[in-house]
Amino acid sequence: PFECQLYPFLLSKNEGKFYLCQDNKCPYLENGSEDKIKEHIDYLNREFRSKKILAFLKQNQELFIEYPPRELEFLFPVNV
């Protein structure tokens, strides 16, 4: 599934807005290369601005789940 391919990044909604977040409980994020993680976040930010991805997410808003915010770091908004 799409969500599994994103992990440790998650599609989240909070107060009616949509975000890409990271799961701070993921060991890779705790121990991985900060440069590689930042590079991947930048890549996702670009991809999530593409018309194709935005159209997909707009049609599949159920992919955005309300997670407990204490477990997530909100990375950037997704405008669907």
Side-chain angles (χ1 to χ4, degrees):
F2 182 75
E3 316 89 290
C4 294
Q5 293 177 25
L6 282 175
Y7 192 80
F9 303 99
L10 304 166
L11 299 172
S12 179
K13 63 181 172 182
N14 184 17
E15 297 180 3
K17 295 182 181 179
F18 302 98
Y19 299 91
L20 184 77
C21 302
Q22 69 183 28
D23 181 353
N24 288 328
K25 291 185 176 183
C26 174
Y28 179 78
L29 292 175
E30 292 176 0
N31 304 313
S33 163
E34 286 186 37
D35 290 339
K36 286 187 177 188
I37 294 168
K38 183 179 179 341
E39 183 179 307
H40 193 67
I41 291 169
D42 291 343
Y43 163 78
L44 290 172
N45 196 358
R46 288 189 307 275
E47 287 296 305
F48 276 60
R49 294 175 190 273
S50 75
K51 289 181 183 180
K52 182 178 179 179
I53 297 291
L54 287 174
F56 170 78
L57 293 173
K58 189 171 188 169
Q59 291 177 340
N60 295 281
Q61 291 184 15
E62 69 275 4
L63 294 174
F64 292 87
I65 298 173
E66 288 193 43
Y67 293 99
R70 69 185 182 284
E71 297 175 7
L72 301 179
E73 180 178 336
F74 290 83
L75 299 173
F76 57 83
V78 179
N79 298 315
V80 294

